Amino acid sequence: MKQAGTVLILALLVLPSGGLVPAAAQETPELANLSIALWPEFDRPEMLVIYQGLLAADTPLPAGVEFRIPARVGRPTAVAYLSEAGERLNQQYTTRIEGETLVVSFQLTTPGFQLEYYDDLPVSAGGQREYALAYTADYAIDALSVEFQVPPTARNLAVDPAEGTAQAGIDGLRYHRIDVGAVEAGETRAWTFRYDKDDDALTSPAPSHAATCAPTGVC
């Protein structure tokens, strides 16, 4: 009887019944790339943060992923998957709170995804805007980049630490791009962006957008 009991225990460990998760489903995905776009005062007087990424080519699909964003933002503005044609389509997701973090979970059936949220953009009495980005990688990433969109009437952009390059976008706006490269899961990178601005003008006022639509077209 002792031997039979041992066999039964082993069977429970290897069979995906009774709510047990197969070993393959527990594998942690990796990202081929992730870009973090920061658009201050774009269509609201806040910071629009956009994650756009791609799972590694050998990732089995569907793949469950989780991304951690500040709990203070309340919820994502949009979560999307990218079709083979490059269209951004609504992605179902769930959230949970872990301390000061909001964990956004979703199941991807295609490798590409996009997540957006608005965050506070502190403004001093003298008109200086300052935003601190501290990103802790949820997954290993082959190529991480950060791109800061400079509002048209902004002056004196300063980035700390001082890295990256300024470039013009096809939309006529200026961007500051930082190519970080490969990062490990759990690794944290941080930057502070500061600029002066004498007005409250938005880069792209969009009163025609429905309340449920993100400014990048995800509804």
Side-chain angles (χ1 to χ4, degrees):
M1 292 297 294
K2 184 176 181 181
Q3 183 178 5
T6 302
V7 173
L8 177 60
I9 292 172
L10 289 174
L12 288 172
L13 288 173
V14 299
L15 290 177
S17 57
L20 297 179
V21 180
Q26 299 176 8
E27 294 179 0
T28 302
E30 296 185 2
L31 304 184
N33 59 67
L34 178 70
S35 67
I36 302 176
L38 303 176
W39 292 2
E41 302 179 88
F42 181 70
D43 66 337
R44 286 165 46 170
E46 296 153 292
M47 177 66 77
L48 174 59
V49 182
I50 305 169
Y51 290 5
Q52 189 172 91
L54 187 70
L55 295 172
D58 58 354
T59 305
L61 297 174
V65 295
E66 293 186 338
F67 290 92
R68 287 159 175 78
I69 63 178
R72 63 177 178 267
V73 308
R75 64 177 181 86
T77 306
V79 180
Y81 67 92
L82 273 62
S83 70
E84 292 183 1
E87 299 173 301
R88 291 183 293 266
L89 304 173
N90 285 335
Q91 168 72 54
Q92 296 296 315
Y93 67 91
T94 61
T95 62
R96 68 179 186 275
I97 295 290
E98 292 183 357
E100 297 182 354
T101 299
L102 178 69
V103 183
V104 184
S105 306
F106 47 98
Q107 193 85 357
L108 281 171
T109 56
T110 64
F113 63 89
Q114 185 162 313
L115 183 154
E116 306 177 12
Y117 64 91
Y118 286 94
D119 199 1
D120 294 335
L121 178 62
V123 182
S124 73
Q128 185 180 75
R129 277 71 163 162
E130 177 174 310
Y131 186 77
L133 172 69
Y135 173 70
T136 299
D138 295 283
Y139 304 100
I141 307 169
D142 289 340
L144 171 67
S145 64
V146 176
E147 191 171 73
F148 186 91
Q149 182 187 83
V150 184
T153 57
R155 299 176 288 105
N156 306 325
L157 175 66
V159 183
D160 184 20
E163 56 183 339
T165 57
Q167 53 191 253
I170 59 174
D171 53 7
L173 297 173
R174 292 177 295 141
Y175 290 84
H176 189 92
R177 181 180 175 86
I178 303 169
D179 289 308
V180 181
V183 297
E184 298 295 329
E187 182 178 348
T188 299
R189 300 296 300 267
W191 302 267
T192 299
F193 299 85
R194 300 182 185 89
Y195 64 91
D196 299 318
K197 192 162 171 282
D198 298 329
D199 57 54
D200 296 325
L202 300 177
T203 299
S204 180
S208 61
H209 277 292
T212 55
C213 291
T216 49
V218 182
C219 296

